[in-house]
Amino acid sequence: MSSVNEERLKQYSLLVIVPSYNEAKNLPNTVADLKKFVPWAEILVVDDGSTDNTAQTATLLGCRLLKMPFNIGIGGAVQAGYQYALAGDYDFAAQFDGDGQHDAQSLPGLLAAAIDNQTDLVIGSRYLENNGYKTPITRRLGMRVFSRLVSLIVKQKISDSTSGFRILSRRAIVFCAGTYPSDYPEVEILPLLHFAGLKIMEAPAKMKARSNGKSSITWTKAIYYMVKVVLAITITVLREMPVRKREVV
Amino acid sequence: MFLRTSLFSFAFSILLFIFIIELIRRRKLQERYSLLWLGVAVAMMIVSLSRRLLEILAKAVGIYYPPAALLLVGLLFVIALLLHYATVISKLSDENKTLAQKLAILENKLDERS
């Protein structure tokens, strides 16, 4: 693995986008960790219509804040963050969950991977190293289906396609600020970036069990999630087909 | 007579299915709102192909002429779709109102500052 030298990483401006929905309890820890491991980065909390004190907490912690007037969904919230990163001319943007699931300690490693390999999207993967993360069995099946499907389309192995722990280059920020799926975007964006000619890779990342609150995905949502993402990926591939034919002819 | 009705409604549901996919492909229809439509198209294909299913269905609701049950199924789907859109429109109008209010308050803040 590449060396994680803070002085070297500091040369690049980094915006950490923290999508948050009712995370007032988790935010103080999340932000403290981020300040510890990426002290030079700017932290942008995107409050997606929370009903608790998420926005006030973010401001008190000294974060930048985008407060959505109502809940617009994770895709729209994260995209607003990328639009902010684009306007602010950042070299890199990170996506980092506000619920305390992601370990900020892995962030410098992801950034180093993006810089060293000149990659547009680095996905923090739970499964590259045996780091003790146990996925619930019910979820593992769905995740495996997505990862297989996505790996097939982007023609490289993606072990953790649903991970929302990511680093985006300037090119990826430009793309995502313009085009980003609205619900359950993590898997769907991968084929889109691939067909746009952007480079994707994975790097190991630690993730913890959620410290407060419960996952946003319930059973009925899980079925909708599966169907919707598979449909969206199929359509993305269909969209690309005429282009490919034209290139051949 | 029944065969013709079946074939026509099957052909129609296939065309509908292709048309929906094409709409999504051209980004004129979001995946989110296409799922119910795709479900309708697939259900129509099944009902129009399986005569037995249609007969069972017709008998269950007391229709003597099975192809007429096709009409009923179609009508019920249309009602379901309309109701779905009514909920979508309600949500949109709520959000639209919130946006207008936030915008008005922002404009007022900017005006008072200058």
Side-chain angles (χ1 to χ4, degrees), chain B residues 68-94:
Chain B
L70 270 180
L71 219 66
L72 179 71
V73 170
L75 193 67
L76 288 178
F77 277 136
V78 169
I79 290 172
L81 279 171
L82 285 178
L83 201 56
H84 173 68
Y85 285 129
T87 65
V88 171
I89 292 170
S90 303
K91 188 167 173 262
L92 279 177
S93 69
D94 268 347

Side-chain angles (χ1 to χ4, degrees), chain A residues 168-209:
Chain A
L168 282 85
S169 74
R170 178 87 193 149
R171 280 178 73 197
I173 293 170
V174 171
F175 185 91
C176 291
T179 307
Y180 203 70
S182 40
D183 38 8
Y184 310 119
E186 290 84 6
V187 182
E188 248 186 273
I189 191 70
L190 301 178
L192 289 172
L193 290 175
H194 168 76
F195 288 126
L198 277 73
K199 212 172 137 193
I200 303 170
M201 71 174 283
E202 285 189 309
K206 277 190 191 148
M207 293 196 198
K208 300 171 268 191

Side-chain angles (χ1 to χ4, degrees), chain A residues 67 69-71 182-183 188 224 227-228 231-232 235 238-239 242, chain B residues 21 24-27 30-32 34-35 38 95-96 98-99 102:
Chain A
K67 192 174 181 304
F70 42 80
N71 186 273
S182 40
D183 38 8
E188 248 186 273
Y224 168 69
V227 175
K228 194 248 165 184
L231 175 69
I235 300 282
L238 278 179
R239 268 186 204 130
Chain B
I21 295 284
I24 314 171
R25 209 180 67 83
R26 292 189 183 173
R27 296 176 215 272
Q30 284 184 30
E31 286 92 348
R32 189 198 301 216
S34 72
L35 287 179
L38 288 173
E95 290 176 350
N96 195 36
T98 311
L99 273 182
K102 296 263 170 187

